[in-house]
Amino acid sequence: MANHKNCPNPVQIFPFKTRKANLYYLATASVLCTIFYLLGIWQHSGAASAISSSGFSQVPCTLPDVVPSSSPRDTTSASAWAGNVVLDFSAHHRAEDLIPTEAAKAQDLHFPPCDLKLSEHTPCEDVQRSLKFDRERLVYRERHCPEKGERLKCRIPAPHGYKVPFQWPESRDKAWFANVPHTELTVEKKKQNWVRFEGDRFIFPGGGTMFSNGADAYIDNIGKMIDLKGGSIRTAIDTGCGVASWGAYLLSRDILTVSFAPRDTHEAQVQFALERGVPALIGVLASKRLPYPSRAMVSYTPHYVDRVLRPGGYWILSGPPINWERHWKGWDRTAEDLKAEQDVIESIARSLCWKKLKQKGDIAIWQKPSNHVHCKKNRKVFKFPPFCPAQDPDKAWYTQMDTCLTALPEVSDIKDVAGGELAKWPERLTTVPPRIASGSVGGVTAEAFKENTDLWSSRVSYYKSLDHQLAQRGRYRNLLDMNANLGGFAAALVDDPVWVMNVVPAEAKTDTLGVIYERGLIGTYQSWCEAMSTYPRTYDFIHADSVFTLYSERCEMDDILLEMDRILRPEGGIIFRDDVDILVKIKSMTDAMQYDSRIIDHERGPHEREKILLAYKQYWTAPAPTEGANTVS
């Protein structure tokens, strides 16, 4: 280290003349800067007279509230402010300047309301289109979507008189007539007590085809046969759901049910369910696999669903032919016919290796084995159905249903549960799912799962700080996550009085729907290049995380947005999460749809390219019939 004692005094380094010259240069520079500064003020003021005798510009310290301009990029009109200097903070280049000519023409966006007769339009279950398809195996009732040129470019109107649905849990028992203006079920199912029409609303007393004492009592009877309270049963499926009273009353037992029924002569079954705030989709057991993963849930359905039934899961059957000895006269069928039908069911169940647990009164319950060790040995006796050849058991988007038995994952011990044992609810929600623990979900580790859970807990808290309707308990009930990944969004809302339909897009790189069900949540497969199998005004809230990035080269943005608009209720909300350039385009379209919308920074701050767009659908309905069919009120 240098010895500072021997250093000369710093002042002595510079001679006196040098210091004098520096002061001279500094003074000259200051004078020149002042001159040029004053000259600049004079040039921009619009008149030399703006400079007073003292030589200083009379520039005000405050700016006007509004700067009039002939266009957003007009900077010349600032001089009109009587000499005031107005700073121009508007961008001189905008996103639309970068769009090619054809796309620029498309910026003249217009999404008119559709005709009133389309107020219940379900594009992929259109009755007229379905008549073109084979009636064998109910193929005509499956999804048949319009071709690209047939898709509507208009917004589906709510029917005249539409009202915001009752809040949960009140909605379980009542719905506005104007929202689902169909009385067919009140007549056809009057004796079965499905639904009653009273004044301006429907009343749902909890009855059903086999619920003579109501759904609650029926479920209590099931609970006497299998454990519905211990947390081992969390997800269920109900085929031919009626108005979904079974699923509605299971919710109080912390069991989440996917109810579905075809769009058939029993008009609006699924629509009633959704209006009640109960999860439901339009669907039918026909030639295609149900759009759910394997090993997903227990079942209140026919035996066609072995693939989706989890190891150790239950199949519950009530109604014909169960207890035929007592009911055969009332069912208007012969005792021999009903006995033969039950014998066939019993035989098929045995061939699937299901064990009949109990039959009491009108209810019979079978249980699927926890693994297929014994079942494979039994193939020597039950040669039909054979085990399916090697395939992806979760593949279920337009996948043909085969007459074969879906093999469960291999086990090392006969006591093991195939695929791994599930934790009981509610621990199941945050416990690492067996599919992830086994490494069968590509690229997702146990650590990544836990990080994802924490991430979405934080993100949903941020969402609630932005969207006060999402934060308000009871404001929303039916929620849709269009790109659910591991179900983190739904998991973060589990303590709210909502349910979330988690969608794993058919085009997603990784199939995670099995993980979602192992967490005790529900969902379905869907391609957003097509319409969803649901009625208009299904959801109160939609979450769209990177959906438009995923589909950027697959289908048209406006088609996806119009589908979102179709299934969103009036005054419903959407949170888009995507790249800022994509959100700018989306906002231009939602503005054209007359949504209230705004773009907000990412939760980590303004320097992230990913942003958030909040959009709220306006409350508008079709006019009264006498006012014409092509205007809105």
Side-chain angles (χ1 to χ4, degrees):
M1 182 177 293
N3 185 353
H4 293 284
K5 291 182 179 180
N6 298 323
C7 289
N9 189 313
V11 177
Q12 295 176 346
I13 293 177
F14 302 101
F16 175 77
K17 291 184 179 180
T18 302
R19 291 202 304 263
K20 186 176 181 180
N22 288 341
L23 290 173
Y24 172 77
Y25 293 141
L26 181 62
T28 302
S30 299
V31 171
L32 290 174
C33 287
T34 301
I35 292 172
F36 286 120
Y37 173 71
L38 296 175
L39 181 61
I41 291 176
W42 180 82
Q43 288 177 330
H44 287 281
S45 67
S49 59
I51 303 178
S52 68
S53 58
S54 62
F56 291 97
S57 173
Q58 304 299 304
V59 180
C61 294
T62 58
L63 297 177
D65 293 330
V66 179
V67 180
S69 175
S70 58
S71 75
R73 288 176 284 183
D74 184 1
T75 60
T76 61
S77 61
S79 61
W81 286 86
N84 293 348
V85 175
V86 179
L87 302 180
D88 177 21
F89 291 102
S90 63
H92 287 206
H93 299 281
R94 297 182 296 176
E96 55 264 39
D97 297 332
L98 307 178
I99 297 175
T101 304
E102 290 301 315
K105 294 178 181 178
Q107 291 304 302
D108 183 18
L109 299 168
H110 182 54
F111 300 103
C114 302
D115 192 277
L116 173 59
K117 66 182 180 181
L118 296 170
S119 66
E120 294 183 353
H121 182 55
T122 54
C124 297
E125 282 79 19
D126 180 74
V127 175
Q128 294 303 314
R129 184 181 296 105
S130 70
L131 296 177
K132 302 175 184 178
F133 294 90
D134 194 350
R135 288 180 172 266
E136 186 179 354
R137 293 185 63 184
L138 300 178
V139 169
Y140 77 105
R141 288 185 178 173
E142 293 180 325
R143 286 174 57 87
H144 302 291
C145 298
E147 298 296 327
K148 186 174 181 180
E150 299 176 314
R151 295 171 187 167
L152 297 177
K153 297 292 184 179
C154 55
R155 292 174 291 152
I156 302 297
H160 180 71
Y162 176 89
K163 299 180 181 180
V164 173
F166 293 99
Q167 289 192 357
W168 183 266
E170 188 179 8
S171 66
R172 187 193 70 174
D173 302 324
K174 60 184 70 172
W176 298 113
F177 167 75
N179 295 8
V180 194
H182 299 285
T183 58
E184 293 90 339
L185 288 177
T186 65
V187 177
E188 292 185 29
K189 303 295 180 180
K190 183 176 181 179
K191 293 182 179 180
Q192 297 172 15
N193 215 19
W194 282 21
V195 56
R196 298 196 307 266
F197 178 44
E198 297 181 1
D200 60 353
R201 66 195 64 184
F202 292 106
I203 304 298
F204 302 94
T209 304
M210 298 306 298
F211 308 159
S212 57
N213 298 315
D216 243 349
Y218 175 79
I219 293 170
D220 286 341
N221 288 335
I222 294 175
K224 296 173 184 177
M225 302 167 74
I226 58 176
D227 182 15
L228 297 177
K229 297 180 180 179
S232 60
I233 296 176
R234 167 60 182 171
T235 54
I237 185 172
D238 183 8
T239 302
C241 63
V243 293
S245 288
W246 191 68
Y249 282 84
L250 276 174
L251 287 167
S252 64
R253 285 126 171 123
D254 261 348
I255 297 175
L256 198 53
T257 304
V258 178
S259 299
F260 71 92
R263 182 170 185 173
D264 59 4
T265 53
H266 293 162
E267 188 70 40
Q269 294 180 79
V270 167
Q271 193 175 15
F272 274 125
L274 293 163
E275 199 67 20
R276 298 176 70 184
V278 179
L281 288 166
I282 298 173
V284 64
L285 279 164
S287 67
K288 300 292 192 297
R289 284 181 171 181
L290 296 174
Y292 314 116
S294 63
R295 300 179 280 122
M297 53 193 110
V298 300
S299 173
Y300 177 62
T301 68
H303 57 274
Y304 306 107
V305 295
D306 176 80
R307 181 186 65 87
V308 302
L309 200 60
R310 68 174 174 82
Y314 303 98
W315 178 54
I316 304 168
L317 178 63
S318 63
I322 302 304
N323 204 11
W324 59 267
E325 298 92 341
R326 178 182 175 185
H327 297 297
W328 67 273
K329 290 183 180 179
W331 289 338
D332 197 25
R333 292 173 62 183
T334 66
E336 293 76 15
D337 180 36
L338 288 162
K339 181 181 183 304
E341 183 178 328
Q342 179 154 351
D343 288 343
V344 169
I345 290 174
E346 302 274 9
S347 176
I348 293 174
R350 286 194 298 272
S351 73
L352 295 171
C353 302
W354 294 0
K355 177 184 177 182
K356 188 173 185 180
L357 291 182
K358 293 180 181 179
Q359 179 173 327
K360 185 177 180 180
D362 298 337
I363 302 171
I365 301 180
W366 285 261
Q367 186 175 24
K368 183 175 178 176
S370 58
N371 59 61
H372 274 160
V373 173
H374 281 309
C375 195
K376 289 183 177 179
K377 294 179 180 179
N378 290 343
R379 286 306 89 181
K380 296 177 182 178
V381 177
F382 297 102
K383 298 185 182 297
F384 187 85
F387 278 99
C388 299
Q391 57 172 282
D392 180 0
D394 292 340
K395 189 177 180 181
W397 185 247
Y398 289 117
T399 303
Q400 199 71 19
M401 190 185 296
D402 296 320
T403 53
C404 58
L405 183 57
T406 303
L408 290 171
E410 296 289 340
V411 295
S412 56
D413 189 281
I414 197 171
K415 297 181 180 179
D416 290 343
V417 176
E421 190 168 0
L422 294 174
K424 292 185 177 182
W425 183 262
E427 290 77 15
R428 184 182 301 182
L429 183 69
T430 53
T431 300
V432 177
R435 295 179 195 234
I436 292 177
S438 66
S440 61
V441 181
V444 183
T445 63
E447 183 179 357
F449 169 77
K450 292 177 180 177
E451 290 176 353
N452 184 267
T453 300
D454 293 339
L455 173 67
W456 279 104
S457 177
S458 173
R459 285 181 170 179
V460 168
S461 294
Y462 182 61
Y463 286 168
K464 288 184 175 181
S465 72
L466 304 175
D467 184 346
H468 299 300
Q469 294 189 120
L470 182 62
Q472 180 185 345
R473 290 181 65 85
R475 172 62 185 86
Y476 294 141
R477 173 63 183 171
N478 304 357
L479 275 64
L480 172 68
D481 192 355
M482 295 177 68
N483 188 14
N485 191 16
L486 302 177
F489 173 77
L493 290 166
V494 72
D495 292 327
D496 290 5
V498 303
W499 60 267
V500 180
M501 184 63 73
N502 294 281
V503 169
V504 172
E507 297 84 357
K509 291 182 179 179
T510 305
D511 182 356
T512 54
L513 193 55
V515 169
I516 288 169
Y517 275 95
E518 287 183 343
R519 299 189 73 175
L521 305 171
I522 58 171
T524 186
Y525 294 109
Q526 170 70 36
S527 170
W528 292 113
C529 289
E530 299 179 358
M532 194 175 187
S533 289
T534 193
Y535 284 85
R537 301 170 298 282
T538 289
Y539 294 101
D540 303 301
F541 179 90
I542 298 176
H543 181 236
D545 176 19
S546 305
V547 170
F548 291 87
T549 290
L550 177 63
Y551 286 94
S552 61
E553 297 181 1
R554 290 185 167 97
C555 46
E556 298 299 323
M557 181 180 288
D558 61 346
D559 286 335
I560 298 176
L561 287 170
L562 284 168
E563 173 60 8
M564 294 171 71
D565 180 76
R566 184 185 75 88
I567 63 179
L568 185 65
R569 287 174 172 169
E571 293 193 332
I574 306 175
I575 289 184
F576 299 89
R577 187 184 193 95
D578 224 311
D579 183 86
V580 62
D581 289 344
I582 290 177
L583 293 187
V584 168
K585 295 177 183 178
I586 292 174
K587 190 177 187 308
S588 68
M589 294 186 181
T590 56
D591 287 348
M593 293 179 182
Q594 295 156 344
Y595 278 62
D596 296 323
S597 62
R598 66 186 192 276
I599 296 177
I600 296 170
D601 284 331
H602 190 279
E603 60 268 13
R604 288 199 298 263
H607 301 298
E608 299 287 336
R609 280 197 61 82
E610 186 177 75
K611 304 291 183 186
I612 294 166
L613 171 62
L614 300 183
Y616 302 94
K617 185 175 181 177
Q618 290 188 3
Y619 196 114
W620 64 275
T621 71
T626 56
E627 296 176 34
N630 293 309
T631 59
V632 295
S633 62

